[in-house]
């Protein structure tokens, strides 16, 4: 007796939930969508960061300092039960710290950027120290780079810049974050010191 061959239906592709969301949002009013986005941003700092960056929102310096401080806390947070492991960290928050420090410098707010850099070094180097391989090292150094570049070109007193370098080095728990850049900045300060 001959066997009937069964034709298998091709596997169904799972429905794209974002497409259904797009269709549902298209049926809403503009005000409803705006309210929802603002509500989501208020409930989730990652969403707020993404929307702020996407729409290139201009933030006053005082608010930018507060936002940067929060981004530093988000970026450097980790569960202490994960010490000596390669734990996840918020790379997007590190990008926000870098962008905010750059923006503060552009707004002529170098001293607040310097202070925030000290906070970043303390918390970030602790995170590096606690992790297995220090995967966030490059992110921290990228955040500090705009401040280091600005200090090479600023007109702040060299004693203030040297003191900041010394304090940044003291806060580095691992002893190697931006070490070459800091040595170069100190040499630059020594060379430009008035007789």
């Amino acid at each position: 007796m001959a066997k009937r061959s069964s034709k298998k239906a091709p596997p169904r592709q799972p429905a794209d939930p974002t497409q259904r969301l797009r269709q549902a949002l298209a049926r809403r009013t503009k005000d409803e969508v705006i309210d929802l986005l603002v509500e989501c941003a208020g409930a989730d700092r990652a969403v707020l960061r993404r929307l702020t960056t996407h729409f290139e929102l201009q933030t006053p310096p005082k608010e930018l300092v507060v936002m940067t401080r929060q981004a530093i806390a988000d970026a450097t947070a980790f569960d202490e039960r994960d010490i000596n492991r390669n734990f996840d960290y918020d790379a997007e928050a590190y990008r926000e710290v870098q962008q905010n420090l750059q923006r503060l410098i552009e707004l002529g707010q170098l001293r607040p950027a310097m202070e925030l850099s000290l906070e970043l070094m303390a918390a970030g180097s602790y995170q590096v120290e606690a992790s297995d391989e220090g995967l966030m090292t490059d992110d921290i150094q990228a955040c500090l780079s705009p401040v280091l570049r600005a200090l090479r070109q600023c007109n702040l007193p060299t004693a203030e810049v040297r003191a900041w370098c010394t304090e940044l080095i003291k806060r580095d728990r691992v002893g190697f974050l931006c070490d070459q850049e800091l040595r170069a900045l100190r040499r630059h300060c020594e060379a430009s010191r008035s007789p």
Side-chain angles (χ1 to χ4, degrees), residues 173-188:
R173 296 171 63 117
V174 292
F176 59 78
L177 294 173
C178 293
D179 58 335
Q180 293 177 3
E181 295 88 346
L182 284 165
R183 281 197 300 270
L185 180 57
R186 288 172 110 183
R187 284 192 304 272
H188 176 75

Side-chain angles (χ1 to χ4, degrees), residues 20 53 65 81 180 187 195:
R20 286 193 311 274
T53 301
V65 167
R81 294 175 292 188
Q180 293 177 3
R187 284 192 304 272

Side-chain angles (χ1 to χ4, degrees), residues 54-98:
H54 180 80
F55 292 112
E56 299 175 355
L57 300 181
Q58 298 302 315
T59 309
K62 285 185 179 183
E63 191 177 326
L64 196 55
V65 167
V66 172
M67 290 173 62
T68 306
R69 195 164 273 130
Q70 183 60 60
I72 290 170
D74 291 344
T76 59
F78 66 94
D79 187 335
E80 295 205 355
R81 294 175 292 188
D82 290 332
I83 288 179
N84 293 326
R85 296 184 186 166
N86 284 332
F87 46 77
D88 290 333
Y89 67 95
D90 192 343
E92 187 64 36
Y94 272 115
R95 280 191 286 282
E96 181 184 3
V97 171
Q98 182 181 2

Side-chain angles (χ1 to χ4, degrees), residues 122-142:
S125 65
Y126 178 53
Q127 187 184 47
V128 171
E129 180 183 52
S131 72
D132 183 37
E133 295 179 14
L135 299 175
M136 64 292 302
T137 298
D138 291 340
D139 296 290
I140 295 166
Q141 293 181 142

Side-chain angles (χ1 to χ4, degrees), residues 149-181:
R149 275 193 311 272
L151 286 170
R152 286 185 64 88
Q153 302 166 355
C154 74
N155 58 2
L156 292 177
T158 56
E160 183 178 350
V161 175
R162 280 196 317 273
W164 178 84
C165 288
T166 301
E167 185 61 29
L168 198 67
I169 291 167
K170 280 177 31 181
R171 293 189 187 202
D172 182 0
R173 296 171 63 117
V174 292
F176 59 78
L177 294 173
C178 293
D179 58 335
Q180 293 177 3
E181 295 88 346

